[in-house]
PDB file of all heavy atoms in Angstrom:
ATOM      1  N   PRO A 272     -55.033  28.649 -50.156  1.00 94.00           N
ATOM      2  CA  PRO A 272     -54.654  29.650 -49.122  1.00 94.00           C
ATOM      3  C   PRO A 272     -55.474  30.948 -49.273  1.00 94.00           C
ATOM      4  O   PRO A 272     -55.676  31.657 -48.284  1.00 94.00           O
ATOM      5  CB  PRO A 272     -53.206  29.951 -49.490  1.00 94.00           C
ATOM      6  CG  PRO A 272     -52.959  29.425 -50.841  1.00 94.00           C
ATOM      7  CD  PRO A 272     -53.885  28.262 -50.983  1.00 94.00           C
ATOM      8  N   MET A 273     -56.060  31.234 -50.506  1.00 94.00           N
ATOM      9  CA  MET A 273     -56.866  32.382 -50.618  1.00 94.00           C
ATOM     10  C   MET A 273     -58.187  32.249 -49.820  1.00 94.00           C
ATOM     11  O   MET A 273     -58.851  33.337 -49.561  1.00 94.00           O
ATOM     12  CB  MET A 273     -57.197  32.608 -52.148  1.00 94.00           C
ATOM     13  CG  MET A 273     -56.168  33.328 -52.914  1.00 94.00           C
ATOM     14  SD  MET A 273     -55.705  34.961 -52.167  1.00 94.00           S
ATOM     15  CE  MET A 273     -57.255  35.816 -52.286  1.00 94.00           C
ATOM     16  N   MET A 274     -58.569  31.074 -49.467  1.00 95.00           N
ATOM     17  CA  MET A 274     -59.754  30.969 -48.642  1.00 95.00           C
ATOM     18  C   MET A 274     -59.522  31.494 -47.245  1.00 95.00           C
ATOM     19  O   MET A 274     -60.351  32.212 -46.686  1.00 95.00           O
ATOM     20  CB  MET A 274     -60.179  29.492 -48.487  1.00 95.00           C
ATOM     21  CG  MET A 274     -61.440  29.236 -47.681  1.00 95.00           C
ATOM     22  SD  MET A 274     -62.127  27.644 -47.843  1.00 95.00           S
ATOM     23  CE  MET A 274     -60.913  26.605 -47.011  1.00 95.00           C
ATOM     24  N   PHE A 275     -58.296  31.310 -46.743  1.00 96.00           N
ATOM     25  CA  PHE A 275     -57.895  31.892 -45.434  1.00 96.00           C
ATOM     26  C   PHE A 275     -57.901  33.473 -45.584  1.00 96.00           C
ATOM     27  O   PHE A 275     -58.390  34.142 -44.695  1.00 96.00           O
ATOM     28  CB  PHE A 275     -56.566  31.402 -44.992  1.00 96.00           C
ATOM     29  CG  PHE A 275     -56.163  32.048 -43.667  1.00 96.00           C
ATOM     30  CD1 PHE A 275     -56.527  31.441 -42.464  1.00 96.00           C
ATOM     31  CD2 PHE A 275     -55.413  33.247 -43.627  1.00 96.00           C
ATOM     32  CE1 PHE A 275     -56.112  32.025 -41.259  1.00 96.00           C
ATOM     33  CE2 PHE A 275     -55.046  33.774 -42.410  1.00 96.00           C
ATOM     34  CZ  PHE A 275     -55.370  33.166 -41.241  1.00 96.00           C
ATOM     35  N   VAL A 276     -57.334  33.916 -46.651  1.00 96.00           N
ATOM     36  CA  VAL A 276     -57.231  35.396 -46.869  1.00 96.00           C
ATOM     37  C   VAL A 276     -58.607  36.000 -46.887  1.00 96.00           C
ATOM     38  O   VAL A 276     -58.888  37.065 -46.286  1.00 96.00           O
ATOM     39  CB  VAL A 276     -56.421  35.726 -48.158  1.00 96.00           C
ATOM     40  CG1 VAL A 276     -56.412  37.266 -48.350  1.00 96.00           C
ATOM     41  CG2 VAL A 276     -55.016  35.152 -48.140  1.00 96.00           C
ATOM     42  N   ASN A 277     -59.559  35.407 -47.569  1.00 96.00           N
ATOM     43  CA  ASN A 277     -60.966  35.900 -47.615  1.00 96.00           C
ATOM     44  C   ASN A 277     -61.585  35.856 -46.231  1.00 96.00           C
ATOM     45  O   ASN A 277     -62.247  36.829 -45.821  1.00 96.00           O
ATOM     46  CB  ASN A 277     -61.770  35.061 -48.595  1.00 96.00           C
ATOM     47  CG  ASN A 277     -61.698  35.561 -49.992  1.00 96.00           C
ATOM     48  OD1 ASN A 277     -62.348  36.567 -50.312  1.00 96.00           O
ATOM     49  ND2 ASN A 277     -60.928  34.934 -50.879  1.00 96.00           N
ATOM     50  N   LEU A 278     -61.422  34.684 -45.562  1.00 97.00           N
ATOM     51  CA  LEU A 278     -62.044  34.572 -44.237  1.00 97.00           C
ATOM     52  C   LEU A 278     -61.381  35.624 -43.259  1.00 97.00           C
ATOM     53  O   LEU A 278     -62.139  36.289 -42.509  1.00 97.00           O
ATOM     54  CB  LEU A 278     -61.799  33.185 -43.660  1.00 97.00           C
ATOM     55  CG  LEU A 278     -62.635  32.076 -44.284  1.00 97.00           C
ATOM     56  CD1 LEU A 278     -62.160  30.721 -43.774  1.00 97.00           C
ATOM     57  CD2 LEU A 278     -64.094  32.285 -44.052  1.00 97.00           C
ATOM     58  N   PHE A 279     -60.088  35.809 -43.336  1.00 97.00           N
ATOM     59  CA  PHE A 279     -59.485  36.725 -42.395  1.00 97.00           C
ATOM     60  C   PHE A 279     -59.950  38.121 -42.608  1.00 97.00           C
ATOM     61  O   PHE A 279     -60.302  38.813 -41.620  1.00 97.00           O
ATOM     62  CB  PHE A 279     -57.923  36.724 -42.615  1.00 97.00           C
ATOM     63  CG  PHE A 279     -57.179  37.578 -41.655  1.00 97.00           C
ATOM     64  CD1 PHE A 279     -56.739  37.117 -40.439  1.00 97.00           C
ATOM     65  CD2 PHE A 279     -56.913  38.906 -41.975  1.00 97.00           C
ATOM     66  CE1 PHE A 279     -56.100  37.928 -39.519  1.00 97.00           C
ATOM     67  CE2 PHE A 279     -56.275  39.753 -41.057  1.00 97.00           C
ATOM     68  CZ  PHE A 279     -55.829  39.248 -39.859  1.00 97.00           C
ATOM     69  N   TRP A 280     -60.104  38.598 -43.860  1.00 96.00           N
ATOM     70  CA  TRP A 280     -60.466  39.953 -44.131  1.00 96.00           C
ATOM     71  C   TRP A 280     -61.981  40.124 -44.006  1.00 96.00           C
ATOM     72  O   TRP A 280     -62.513  41.274 -43.907  1.00 96.00           O
ATOM     73  CB  TRP A 280     -59.926  40.438 -45.421  1.00 96.00           C
ATOM     74  CG  TRP A 280     -58.460  40.758 -45.335  1.00 96.00           C
ATOM     75  CD1 TRP A 280     -57.497  40.079 -45.983  1.00 96.00           C
ATOM     76  CD2 TRP A 280     -57.816  41.752 -44.500  1.00 96.00           C
ATOM     77  NE1 TRP A 280     -56.229  40.604 -45.568  1.00 96.00           N
ATOM     78  CE2 TRP A 280     -56.448  41.591 -44.688  1.00 96.00           C
ATOM     79  CE3 TRP A 280     -58.357  42.680 -43.621  1.00 96.00           C
ATOM     80  CZ2 TRP A 280     -55.530  42.377 -44.027  1.00 96.00           C
ATOM     81  CZ3 TRP A 280     -57.420  43.517 -42.977  1.00 96.00           C
ATOM     82  CH2 TRP A 280     -56.028  43.388 -43.139  1.00 96.00           C
ATOM     83  N   MET A 281     -62.772  39.042 -44.070  1.00 96.00           N
ATOM     84  CA  MET A 281     -64.200  39.175 -43.761  1.00 96.00           C
ATOM     85  C   MET A 281     -64.382  39.546 -42.284  1.00 96.00           C
ATOM     86  O   MET A 281     -65.361  40.199 -41.945  1.00 96.00           O
ATOM     87  CB  MET A 281     -64.963  37.835 -43.983  1.00 96.00           C
ATOM     88  CG  MET A 281     -65.191  37.553 -45.430  1.00 96.00           C
ATOM     89  SD  MET A 281     -66.033  35.957 -45.610  1.00 96.00           S
ATOM     90  CE  MET A 281     -65.861  35.639 -47.374  1.00 96.00           C
ATOM     91  N   TRP A 282     -63.385  39.181 -41.434  1.00 97.00           N
ATOM     92  CA  TRP A 282     -63.323  39.736 -40.086  1.00 97.00           C
ATOM     93  C   TRP A 282     -62.518  41.012 -40.082  1.00 97.00           C
ATOM     94  O   TRP A 282     -62.913  42.004 -39.433  1.00 97.00           O
ATOM     95  CB  TRP A 282     -62.697  38.764 -39.124  1.00 97.00           C
ATOM     96  CG  TRP A 282     -62.183  39.411 -37.865  1.00 97.00           C
ATOM     97  CD1 TRP A 282     -62.982  39.692 -36.755  1.00 97.00           C
ATOM     98  CD2 TRP A 282     -60.867  39.868 -37.587  1.00 97.00           C
ATOM     99  NE1 TRP A 282     -62.252  40.354 -35.828  1.00 97.00           N
ATOM    100  CE2 TRP A 282     -60.909  40.435 -36.297  1.00 97.00           C
ATOM    101  CE3 TRP A 282     -59.663  39.857 -38.244  1.00 97.00           C
ATOM    102  CZ2 TRP A 282     -59.780  40.983 -35.656  1.00 97.00           C
ATOM    103  CZ3 TRP A 282     -58.563  40.376 -37.674  1.00 97.00           C
ATOM    104  CH2 TRP A 282     -58.617  40.982 -36.460  1.00 97.00           C
ATOM    105  N   GLY A 283     -61.453  41.057 -40.806  1.00 95.00           N
ATOM    106  CA  GLY A 283     -60.430  42.068 -40.647  1.00 95.00           C
ATOM    107  C   GLY A 283     -60.932  43.514 -41.044  1.00 95.00           C
ATOM    108  O   GLY A 283     -60.586  44.475 -40.401  1.00 95.00           O
ATOM    109  N   HIS A 284     -61.709  43.577 -42.146  1.00 93.00           N
ATOM    110  CA  HIS A 284     -62.126  44.926 -42.447  1.00 93.00           C
ATOM    111  C   HIS A 284     -63.263  45.478 -41.548  1.00 93.00           C
ATOM    112  O   HIS A 284     -63.303  46.621 -41.176  1.00 93.00           O
ATOM    113  CB  HIS A 284     -62.499  45.120 -43.905  1.00 93.00           C
ATOM    114  CG  HIS A 284     -62.333  46.628 -44.225  1.00 93.00           C
ATOM    115  ND1 HIS A 284     -61.076  47.189 -44.468  1.00 93.00           N
ATOM    116  CD2 HIS A 284     -63.224  47.616 -44.292  1.00 93.00           C
ATOM    117  CE1 HIS A 284     -61.308  48.544 -44.617  1.00 93.00           C
ATOM    118  NE2 HIS A 284     -62.535  48.788 -44.517  1.00 93.00           N
ATOM    119  N   PRO A 285     -64.317  44.645 -41.223  1.00 95.00           N
ATOM    120  CA  PRO A 285     -65.226  45.086 -40.134  1.00 95.00           C
ATOM    121  C   PRO A 285     -64.474  45.517 -38.869  1.00 95.00           C
ATOM    122  O   PRO A 285     -64.851  46.402 -38.168  1.00 95.00           O
ATOM    123  CB  PRO A 285     -66.093  43.856 -39.970  1.00 95.00           C
ATOM    124  CG  PRO A 285     -66.219  43.257 -41.298  1.00 95.00           C
ATOM    125  CD  PRO A 285     -64.767  43.410 -41.839  1.00 95.00           C
ATOM    126  N   GLU A 286     -63.346  44.743 -38.622  1.00 96.00           N
ATOM    127  CA  GLU A 286     -62.525  45.079 -37.395  1.00 96.00           C
ATOM    128  C   GLU A 286     -62.091  46.548 -37.405  1.00 96.00           C
ATOM    129  O   GLU A 286     -62.016  47.208 -36.393  1.00 96.00           O
ATOM    130  CB  GLU A 286     -61.376  44.137 -37.298  1.00 96.00           C
ATOM    131  CG  GLU A 286     -60.302  44.493 -36.267  1.00 96.00           C
ATOM    132  CD  GLU A 286     -60.750  44.419 -34.806  1.00 96.00           C
ATOM    133  OE1 GLU A 286     -61.869  43.888 -34.608  1.00 96.00           O
ATOM    134  OE2 GLU A 286     -60.015  44.869 -33.954  1.00 96.00           O
ATOM    135  N   VAL A 287     -61.704  47.045 -38.592  1.00 94.00           N
ATOM    136  CA  VAL A 287     -61.266  48.445 -38.742  1.00 94.00           C
ATOM    137  C   VAL A 287     -62.368  49.398 -38.191  1.00 94.00           C
ATOM    138  O   VAL A 287     -62.162  50.323 -37.410  1.00 94.00           O
ATOM    139  CB  VAL A 287     -60.950  48.807 -40.178  1.00 94.00           C
ATOM    140  CG1 VAL A 287     -60.662  50.299 -40.318  1.00 94.00           C
ATOM    141  CG2 VAL A 287     -59.722  47.987 -40.654  1.00 94.00           C
ATOM    142  N   TYR A 288     -63.653  49.076 -38.530  1.00 95.00           N
ATOM    143  CA  TYR A 288     -64.747  49.894 -38.044  1.00 95.00           C
ATOM    144  C   TYR A 288     -65.179  49.615 -36.613  1.00 95.00           C
ATOM    145  O   TYR A 288     -65.611  50.442 -35.916  1.00 95.00           O
ATOM    146  CB  TYR A 288     -65.898  49.781 -39.006  1.00 95.00           C
ATOM    147  CG  TYR A 288     -65.573  50.337 -40.400  1.00 95.00           C
ATOM    148  CD1 TYR A 288     -65.228  49.524 -41.445  1.00 95.00           C
ATOM    149  CD2 TYR A 288     -65.532  51.701 -40.609  1.00 95.00           C
ATOM    150  CE1 TYR A 288     -64.881  49.970 -42.677  1.00 95.00           C
ATOM    151  CE2 TYR A 288     -65.187  52.269 -41.818  1.00 95.00           C
ATOM    152  CZ  TYR A 288     -64.811  51.401 -42.843  1.00 95.00           C
ATOM    153  OH  TYR A 288     -64.412  51.878 -44.092  1.00 95.00           O
ATOM    154  N   ILE A 289     -64.863  48.383 -36.192  1.00 96.00           N
ATOM    155  CA  ILE A 289     -65.080  48.040 -34.758  1.00 96.00           C
ATOM    156  C   ILE A 289     -64.281  48.912 -33.919  1.00 96.00           C
ATOM    157  O   ILE A 289     -64.703  49.422 -32.858  1.00 96.00           O
ATOM    158  CB  ILE A 289     -64.743  46.543 -34.483  1.00 96.00           C
ATOM    159  CG1 ILE A 289     -65.840  45.608 -35.075  1.00 96.00           C
ATOM    160  CG2 ILE A 289     -64.604  46.247 -33.030  1.00 96.00           C
ATOM    161  CD1 ILE A 289     -65.478  44.203 -35.080  1.00 96.00           C
TER     162      ILE A 289
END
Side-chain angles (χ1 to χ4, degrees):
M273 277 304 299
M274 183 165 69
F275 179 89
V276 177
N277 272 283
L278 288 171
F279 183 90
W280 286 114
M281 284 178 192
W282 162 81
H284 203 79
E286 168 68 10
V287 172
Y288 294 101
I289 287 169

